[in-house]
Amino acid sequence: MAFPHRPDAPELPDFSMLKRLARDQLIYLLEQQHEVDKLYKVENKPALSSSEQLCFLVRPRIKNMRYIASLVNADKLAGRARKYKVIFSPQKFYACEMVLEEEGIYGDVSCDEWAFSLLPLDVDLLSMELPEFFRDYFLEGDQRWINTVAQALHLLSTLYGPFPNCYGIGRCAKMSHELWRKLEEEEDGEAKGRRPEIGHIFLLDRDMDFVTALCSQVVYEGLVDDTFRIKCGSVDFGPEVTSSDRSLKLLLNAEDKVFNEIRNEHFSNVFGFLSQKARNLQAQYDRRRGMDIKQMKNFVSQELKGLKQEHRLLSLHIGACESIMKKKTKQDFQELIKTEHALLEGFNIRESTSYIEEHIDRQVSPIESLRLMCLLSITENGLIPKDYRSLKTQYLQSYGPEHLLTFSNLRRAGLLTEQAPGDTLTAVESKVSKLVTDKAAGKITDAFSSLAKRSNFRAISKKLNLIPRVDGEYDLKVPRDMAYVFSGAYVPLSCRVIEQVLERRSWQGLDEVVRLLNCSELAFAGLTKEDKASSESLRLILVVFLGGCTFSEISALRFLGREKGYRFIFLTTAITNSARLMEAMSEVKA
Amino acid sequence: MSRTKGDEEEYWNSSKFKAFTFDDEDDELSQLKESKRAVNSLRDFVDDDDDDDLERVSWSGEPVGRRTRLGSFQSLSDALSDTPAKSYAPELGRPKGEYKDYSNDWSISDTVRRLRKGKVCSLERFRSLQDKLQLLEEAVSVHDGNVITAVLIFLKRTLSKEILFRELELRQVALRHLIHFLKEIGDQKLLVDLFRFLDRTEELALSHYREHLNIQDPEKRKEFLKTCIGLPFSAEDSAHVQDHYTLLERQIIIEANDRHLELAGQTEIFRKHPRKASILNMPLVTTLFYSCFYHYTEAEGTFSSPVNLKKTFKIPDKQYVLTALAARAKLRAWHDVDALFTTKNWLGYTKKRAPIGFHRVVEILHKNSAPVQILQEYVNLVEDVDTKLNLATKFKCHDVVIDTCRDLKDRQQLLAYRSKVDKGSAEEEKIDAFLSSSQIRWKN
């Protein structure tokens, strides 16, 4: 349980610096305004402040501008003179200013920027907290956040030295990398000459691996996220968990000793661990019997507080587990997981399809139904037209006709597609590929899939061995590979690609995989001969997920790190999971 | 906003950097502004957050302000790339002095760099189409969406629709940015024009249809949906939109009728089970459930009858049965449930048939807390023996378990089950009778 790192594992860099930096900057900005006494959440309602000046700290979005404009214009109409200040985080966009100008309040408000884009959620996890990145880029093709990413990477290299080895895959990764390079060139000098603290950086686009993000999570942290939604590294546990009438906000990170030991565990191990822990705790409490006064004094002043804290955390996590169990039993989780695994492995497609159909017919959950359809689509290179039409019709009947907009979005993003008539050749193709060498088969596939960008999941899965062959039971207590994060059924594609590239220190020998991922022009590696890089730093790897990463992926890479003596650090535009991905594509306001 | 020169005001207004605008009129440079007005509102390229790299020059060519450093470029490459672009836009009929300002023009790449860094930079001098397009291409080449959009805002303002669209059609990255920008600011009209120009008719239709989400009033929404019907959707979406319209039309009728009935208080079903929410804008399946709940027995001719809904929207049998079952089970109308699965053959024999599988039927009945006698009946109809046994055990249908064990001649399982029934109960007796029977040839 909670496997220790190898003794030679490198230390993590100190991210508290980032927090300090951001805080100081914000304080500076706010103090400029004299006394900012109260912060209001920007919602679509009138501000009830009687203050002489209003300061808005906002994301640069049009709708926020409209809201501010409505307030300012209402004040103007009422003949009320106030001062307004808008602080954009992490940066201001020209489109926002255009709106301020159009609404006639340009000049009435003054603008500032709070370049805060890296929030350390944990010792090894930085989040840009930009959930909108996913929709903006992967659905709309808007590159507004690429500069933000490049700036963030620039800041990291300023603080932690240059990255000697750099790898990436995906269009967004490539563009971010290029812009980042440009920034470094423009402002060179700062990072140069510094000893690199982090040996490798790996950038990857979310659309390179949708499958992993669409799967139900079964490691504890992922499961907590799927069930309760972790927001900014903390979770709201309702009364059903706290077994009181109050909700409780709990910070989930390495500081929480109980959580830290179970976060990466498969859920099936967590109960056993927690009850063992409870017994130990009991034993420690029991020690106080038979203590003399002095010992008791010591116990109370030194240990009791820690024990009480642990007790509180333990009962919360036990409560969370119970609540998860209850919910999962109710929704027939076992059956759901079985279907997912069947989809991943590509057998019983008909059965899975009718399972999904029934899910829809019974109006189980719009998000879940959509997720399963997407999983079916991506693993099968699109739905066969007949299924697509019938599932879509039933979906619209069950959850509302307006979802035809959602389907259009999903199609554009490549998450839910219909096989083009030419695609029926897939069967022929796979037969051919068995007969001839892979290279020849690749060419044939190329010829067939000239138009649509296909996921090729099955072929990639075979190439990268994503479905482990299991002889007998997969022992989830003693994981043997990263597949444990999905009960031993599937190695996350994203993590496998990272593993393979790190092993080779290049993309060499992965051409076929890269081609199947539709990234032939979009995989890159840049190695600099860096003499100053210590061997320790060369085992530190920063993985950048553009479009979000899941806790399962984080757990899988933490596992890989422990196996190989690496440490991974994660930078993501936001933490994501299947529900968040689906909601981002959904056109209907919840 | 009135601009008194109080200290506090000054403090408030002077942010670290200034907002971007295409025709910036900067406070700090009011001097310059005065002069500018005099010469017919000259566009300048002012910047306030780093005056080091800019020599401020008034219209007459005299340096303004504290610094008078010359040629302070950021780097050598900047200096070299600073191609004289002034010849692109000859400005006729303006005072000669004005041209002096243009001597400080940034090259296209410098302009884009400044935009990228959020600095103020006027684009007004890019007047030739060639300049505009080069500017756009430079923005695209640095990948910064914010800059691409800034340039597009400028192009949108200074180019005719036709030219803008024509050029963007050749530049897909920029095109996507414009589409997203128009969506965000809600410029539906231009968006529709753009889609029409690009001949992306399906997107045009969808983008028009999306508007209905902003209409709250059901009558108005219905009328709006009507305008969507003829739009160039794909064949299948056309049918869906037609159905959407029809559904809302029905819902409006049903809602008006039922609200009236409920208020009148004469109808038993509404008295016993007051409606929790209006049926307006609900999905079809929810509407069907509602109709099975409140209007089950109505004749096919009425809009609110389940059969009418089924026919109008071609609801598949499976879906219909599933929904009707859930609704009738909720009302504990077991007789209706029974009828749902009973079919008669031509000889008049009745037979039970369920398009959804009896194991599902059992689960739904159990969820609606059907009594054991009812459950039992349907558990018995489950074909697969293992499933049947599992369900029977799960839902405590003792008789079914016991009989099935007997049929399977599974003495061990029957023995094991004996511990699960109450002591001295009829079930226990039944088990004992079987266990001691000499008629059965047990397999174990």
Side-chain angles (χ1 to χ4, degrees):
Chain A
M1 193 54 73
F3 308 93
H5 282 280
R6 283 191 355 194
D8 62 344
E11 289 287 315
L12 292 169
D14 177 18
F15 288 135
S16 58
M17 208 189 306
L18 288 169
K19 258 189 204 167
R20 258 196 327 267
L21 223 78
R23 196 193 51 202
D24 292 352
Q25 207 190 351
L26 181 62
I27 289 173
Y28 172 76
L29 284 170
L30 292 179
E31 277 182 348
Q32 266 196 329
Q33 318 314 319
H34 309 292
E35 54 265 351
V36 167
D37 56 341
K38 212 166 169 188
L39 286 170
Y40 295 92
K41 198 174 165 191
V42 173
E43 287 165 312
N44 251 340
K45 56 185 183 195
L48 293 167
S49 169
S50 58
S51 175
E52 279 311 293
Q53 61 181 42
L54 294 177
C55 177
F56 305 91
L57 178 57
V58 291
R59 285 274 183 236
R61 294 238 77 119
I62 303 289
K63 69 172 193 327
N64 291 337
M65 296 307 105
R66 294 256 154 83
Y67 165 75
I68 291 168
S70 71
L71 283 183
V72 176
N73 282 326
D75 277 356
K76 276 185 179 180
L77 216 64
R80 172 166 200 173
R82 278 206 262 213
K83 292 174 212 154
Y84 311 92
K85 180 95 175 174
V86 183
I87 300 174
F88 294 96
S89 179
Q91 70 170 108
K92 173 191 58 153
F93 286 144
Y94 294 125
C96 293
E97 285 185 319
M98 187 213 75
V99 173
L100 294 181
E101 188 176 347
E102 277 186 1
E103 299 280 348
I105 59 162
Y106 191 91
D108 297 325
V109 298
S110 61
C111 300
D112 241 322
E113 274 178 341
W114 181 35
F116 175 48
S117 56
L118 289 169
L119 176 69
L121 290 181
D122 209 335
V123 286
D124 60 352
L125 174 58
L126 303 172
S127 169
M128 299 182 69
E129 292 297 312
L130 286 174
E132 60 257 66
F133 183 103
F134 180 68
R135 187 177 165 120
D136 283 340
Y137 180 75
F138 290 102
L139 177 64
E140 308 288 0
D142 193 316
Q143 302 167 7
R144 63 178 64 183
W145 302 115
I146 287 182
N147 185 43
T148 320
V149 172
Q151 297 279 2
L153 295 176
H154 180 55
L155 176 63
L156 284 178
S157 68
T158 314
L159 293 175
Y160 305 102
F163 300 90
N165 305 298
C166 179
Y167 322 91
I169 183 164
R171 190 174 302 279
C172 189
K174 194 165 184 220
M175 292 192 291
S176 308
H177 181 245
E178 283 174 16
L179 189 50
W180 172 36
R181 289 281 120 214
K182 205 183 255 288
L183 289 179
E184 303 265 297
E185 277 163 32
E186 281 167 7
E187 293 169 41
D188 65 353
E190 285 171 80
K192 278 215 182 108
R194 282 206 50 170
R195 251 177 102 89
E197 274 187 60
I198 303 167
H200 309 262
I201 180 169
F202 199 119
L203 297 111
L204 81 174
D205 284 15
R206 182 71 270 172
D207 69 346
M208 194 210 91
D209 173 17
F210 279 140
V211 170
T212 303
L214 287 171
C215 289
S216 295
Q217 306 194 71
V218 283
V219 286
Y220 185 63
E221 191 164 10
L223 203 45
V224 169
D225 189 35
D226 277 0
T227 318
F228 305 102
R229 296 256 171 148
I230 299 175
K231 286 183 200 123
C232 263
S234 81
V235 67
D236 265 322
F237 281 140
E240 80 277 12
V241 172
T242 58
S243 45
S244 67
D245 47 3
R246 286 187 315 139
S247 285
L248 218 141
K249 205 179 189 100
L250 185 66
L251 222 50
L252 293 177
N253 56 34
E255 304 266 289
D256 178 337
K257 292 284 177 288
V258 177
F259 176 67
N260 198 37
E261 288 195 75
I262 51 176
R263 64 195 307 184
N264 301 310
E265 291 299 320
H266 189 273
F267 189 63
S268 61
N269 296 340
V270 173
F271 256 137
F273 173 82
L274 290 177
S275 64
Q276 180 59 45
K277 195 101 186 151
R279 276 197 295 278
N280 291 350
L281 194 66
Q282 185 62 52
Q284 274 176 289
Y285 271 124
D286 286 348
R287 275 195 309 123
R288 72 186 191 281
R289 286 183 208 139
M291 279 181 183
D292 59 29
I293 298 268
K294 193 161 173 238
Q295 286 168 324
M296 186 63 97
K297 199 177 151 201
N298 254 336
F299 177 81
V300 171
S301 66
Q302 285 167 18
E303 284 174 58
L304 195 58
K305 196 166 166 243
L307 289 181
K308 272 192 172 157
Q309 168 75 354
E310 196 177 329
H311 185 183
R312 193 182 71 94
L313 292 171
L314 203 53
S315 64
L316 276 175
H317 288 295
I318 290 173
C321 281
E322 279 173 346
S323 172
I324 290 171
M325 279 299 280
K326 221 185 259 167
K327 279 184 188 152
K328 294 299 171 190
T329 318
K330 208 171 145 199
Q331 71 173 78
D332 228 337
F333 197 50
Q334 207 57 45
E335 191 92 353
L336 187 73
I337 293 283
K338 230 174 76 189
T339 306
E340 275 180 35
H341 291 176
L343 290 174
L344 290 168
E345 289 178 49
F347 65 85
N348 286 346
I349 296 303
R350 285 263 49 94
E351 226 169 82
S352 300
T353 310
S354 40
Y355 176 83
I356 297 170
E357 193 174 29
E358 199 185 296
H359 224 262
I360 296 169
D361 286 350
R362 287 166 58 201
Q363 293 183 309
V364 178
S365 139
I367 291 297
E368 281 280 285
S369 302
L370 214 50
R371 172 177 82 83
L372 289 170
M373 285 167 78
C374 291
L375 204 53
L376 173 65
S377 168
I378 294 179
T379 52
E380 287 293 299
N381 264 332
L383 270 55
I384 52 175
K386 190 173 127 288
D387 285 348
Y388 180 82
R389 238 158 285 154
S390 104
L391 286 176
K392 178 172 168 181
T393 303
Q394 291 176 70
Y395 192 94
L396 300 185
Q397 293 185 338
S398 270
Y399 304 116
E402 61 279 14
H403 277 290
L404 71 90
L405 297 165
T406 309
F407 277 81
S408 150
N409 289 347
L410 289 168
R411 183 196 285 258
R412 273 200 292 148
L415 275 159
L416 180 54
T417 58
E418 188 179 352
Q419 287 171 9
D423 280 1
T424 41
L425 290 167
T426 331
V428 184
E429 239 176 275
S430 62
K431 263 186 204 137
V432 171
S433 70
K434 275 181 200 131
L435 296 173
V436 295
T437 59
D438 284 337
K439 214 165 201 165
K443 285 204 183 100
I444 294 168
T445 313
D446 263 348
F448 288 158
S449 62
S450 51
L451 276 175
K453 193 171 145 186
R454 305 194 7 208
S455 57
N456 300 317
F457 178 76
R458 205 70 66 211
I460 294 167
S461 165
K462 218 182 261 171
K463 272 257 162 256
L464 289 174
N465 244 332
L466 298 183
I467 312 292
R469 239 194 304 268
V470 181
D471 324 305
E473 280 287 280
Y474 187 102
D475 188 356
L476 292 165
K477 282 205 171 66
V478 193
R480 64 180 105 163
D481 53 24
M482 294 188 282
Y484 90 93
V485 302
F486 293 115
S487 310
Y490 163 66
V491 179
L493 168 57
S494 53
C495 304
R496 177 70 103 205
V497 168
I498 292 168
E499 177 198 40
Q500 294 295 310
V501 173
L502 285 176
E503 234 164 57
R504 296 168 166 80
R505 299 252 171 134
S506 77
W507 291 93
Q508 220 165 24
L510 294 170
D511 315 352
E512 181 62 12
V513 173
V514 169
R515 195 188 57 76
L516 288 166
L517 287 167
N518 300 303
C519 286
S520 292
E521 306 295 315
L522 306 171
F524 56 93
L527 312 181
T528 49
K529 192 105 178 85
E530 185 59 69
D531 308 327
K532 275 179 282 178
S534 63
S535 73
E536 194 176 321
S537 75
L538 287 174
R539 280 178 288 116
L540 260 184
I541 302 136
L542 173 69
V543 183
V544 184
F545 284 90
L546 299 164
C549 86
T550 63
F551 281 118
S552 295
E553 286 164 315
I554 292 176
S555 290
L557 288 174
R558 280 178 185 149
F559 171 84
L560 183 70
R562 281 192 300 266
E563 291 278 296
K564 309 262 179 180
Y566 305 142
R567 290 297 287 272
F568 283 96
I569 306 158
F570 307 93
L571 165 56
T572 179
T573 51
I575 290 293
T576 194
N577 62 12
S578 57
R580 292 193 188 94
L581 286 194
M582 293 298 100
E583 282 160 10
M585 290 291 141
S586 204
E587 202 60 48
V588 194
K589 286 128 220 153
Chain B
M1 196 163 103
S2 68
R3 287 181 179 172
T4 55
K5 287 285 169 198
D7 268 355
E8 196 187 316
E9 196 77 13
E10 182 74 40
Y11 194 56
W12 180 261
N13 283 321
S14 64
S15 68
K16 201 168 128 279
F17 66 86
K18 267 292 172 0
F20 160 84
T21 173
F22 294 114
D23 37 7
D24 184 68
E25 291 184 326
D26 197 357
D27 214 21
E28 268 184 34
L29 299 172
S30 45
Q31 272 184 57
L32 185 61
K33 207 163 71 180
E34 291 301 313
S35 341
K36 276 195 300 183
R37 271 201 198 112
V39 289
N40 195 8
S41 78
L42 164 70
R43 315 287 192 194
D44 68 345
F45 316 101
V46 290
D47 182 44
D48 51 321
D49 70 340
D50 53 356
D51 16 14
D52 325 43
D53 63 350
L54 157 68
E55 185 193 4
R56 282 180 181 154
V57 186
S58 75
W59 65 276
S60 60
E62 300 278 314
V64 178
R66 305 170 293 280
R67 282 168 225 259
T68 50
R69 227 185 304 159
L70 288 169
S72 49
F73 292 103
Q74 282 179 332
S75 70
L76 186 63
S77 68
D78 284 356
L80 293 175
S81 63
D82 197 11
T83 50
K86 60 190 164 207
S87 58
Y88 288 130
E91 313 210 359
L92 302 171
R94 289 202 176 183
K96 255 199 179 136
E98 197 182 328
Y99 285 108
K100 292 203 173 153
D101 262 319
Y102 287 87
S103 65
N104 247 2
D105 292 349
W106 286 288
S107 68
I108 283 176
S109 68
D110 284 337
T111 305
V112 165
R113 193 209 320 267
R114 293 184 68 79
L115 286 176
R116 189 153 56 73
K117 295 189 184 294
K119 291 177 183 170
V120 181
C121 196
S122 167
L123 303 178
E124 294 302 317
R125 71 188 180 83
F126 297 102
R127 302 189 72 168
S128 73
L129 180 61
Q130 192 190 355
D131 271 6
K132 290 180 206 286
L133 293 177
Q134 273 181 12
L135 189 65
L136 183 63
E137 268 155 25
E138 176 69 19
V140 169
S141 79
V142 299
H143 313 309
D144 186 342
N146 180 32
V147 178
I148 299 174
T149 306
V151 173
L152 286 169
I153 292 170
F154 168 64
L155 296 194
K156 172 175 169 271
R157 198 161 54 74
T158 58
L159 285 175
S160 82
K161 266 195 317 215
E162 288 71 26
I163 305 296
L164 178 66
F165 293 172
R166 185 189 74 197
E167 295 300 335
L168 289 185
E169 195 174 13
L170 308 168
R171 294 168 178 82
Q172 289 295 313
V173 172
L175 177 62
R176 278 198 292 272
H177 281 80
L178 183 68
I179 291 173
H180 191 214
F181 170 75
L182 293 177
K183 275 187 195 168
E184 266 203 303
I185 61 163
D187 193 339
Q188 184 66 18
K189 206 177 150 301
L190 196 59
L191 192 61
V192 165
D193 287 345
L194 177 58
F195 284 141
R196 193 169 291 134
F197 176 89
L198 298 169
D199 209 21
R200 279 153 70 162
T201 51
E202 202 180 328
E203 275 177 84
L204 184 147
L206 287 167
S207 125
H208 182 75
Y209 172 76
R210 180 177 289 110
E211 293 288 289
H212 87 266
L213 292 169
N214 302 323
I215 304 171
Q216 296 310 319
D217 180 71
E219 237 356 284
K220 282 188 187 139
R221 189 184 262 215
K222 186 189 87 180
E223 284 316 305
F224 183 87
L225 285 172
K226 199 172 184 179
T227 68
C228 294
I229 288 172
L231 295 174
F233 293 100
S234 67
E236 51 164 331
D237 281 356
S238 272
H240 294 316
V241 171
Q242 171 73 56
D243 277 354
H244 190 178
Y245 169 75
T246 315
L247 179 63
L248 185 56
E249 191 187 32
R250 295 290 169 86
Q251 285 171 340
I252 291 174
I253 296 169
I254 297 171
E255 179 66 24
N257 200 25
D258 288 2
R259 192 169 345 129
H260 179 77
L261 285 177
E262 193 173 35
L263 282 175
Q266 299 296 308
T267 323
E268 193 192 349
I269 182 88
F270 288 113
R271 269 210 315 271
K272 263 190 165 164
H273 305 276
R275 303 185 314 149
K276 289 195 182 81
S278 130
I279 195 63
L280 293 173
N281 296 320
M282 291 295 168
L284 176 61
V285 169
T286 312
T287 313
L288 179 64
F289 181 91
Y290 176 95
S291 141
C292 287
F293 196 91
Y294 289 110
H295 303 279
Y296 196 60
T297 52
E298 272 168 31
E300 200 187 314
T302 53
F303 280 153
S304 47
S305 88
V307 190
N308 189 306
L309 285 174
K310 181 173 189 275
K311 283 221 167 127
T312 308
F313 297 99
K314 302 192 192 67
I315 299 170
D317 241 8
K318 236 168 144 178
Q319 178 71 77
Y320 179 81
V321 168
L322 206 59
T323 314
L325 170 64
R328 300 321 288 172
K330 194 159 196 88
L331 283 170
R332 309 177 71 77
W334 310 123
H335 185 73
D336 292 339
V337 170
D338 190 61
L340 212 48
F341 301 110
T342 308
T343 49
K344 269 197 186 127
N345 70 5
W346 62 280
L347 289 171
Y349 294 121
T350 61
K351 197 175 173 262
K352 294 274 200 227
R353 207 181 57 83
I356 51 172
F358 280 107
H359 63 289
R360 282 284 170 237
V361 175
V362 173
E363 269 167 28
I364 291 167
L365 288 174
H366 179 258
K367 266 201 187 116
N368 288 290
S369 42
V372 173
Q373 304 87 283
I374 304 283
L375 274 181
Q376 200 148 284
E377 188 183 330
Y378 290 94
V379 173
N380 253 328
L381 290 165
V382 175
E383 268 181 44
D384 181 68
V385 182
D386 285 336
T387 317
K388 185 204 280 192
L389 207 53
N390 275 339
L391 285 171
T393 314
K394 192 167 158 192
F395 300 136
K396 298 199 170 61
C397 302
H398 301 307
D399 275 342
V400 181
V401 179
I402 297 165
D403 291 342
T404 312
C405 285
R406 182 202 55 195
D407 295 345
L408 290 170
K409 312 210 184 318
D410 192 340
R411 189 184 161 85
Q412 292 308 317
Q413 189 161 358
L414 193 57
L415 261 174
Y417 198 74
R418 192 175 180 273
S419 62
K420 289 187 184 152
V421 298
D422 294 337
K423 289 243 170 313
S425 64
E427 288 84 14
E428 197 183 50
E429 268 175 46
K430 186 172 172 183
I431 292 176
D432 288 341
F434 280 151
L435 286 175
S436 57
S437 163
S438 54
Q439 303 289 312
I440 309 167
R441 296 164 90 192
W442 300 102
K443 70 171 182 189
N444 51 21

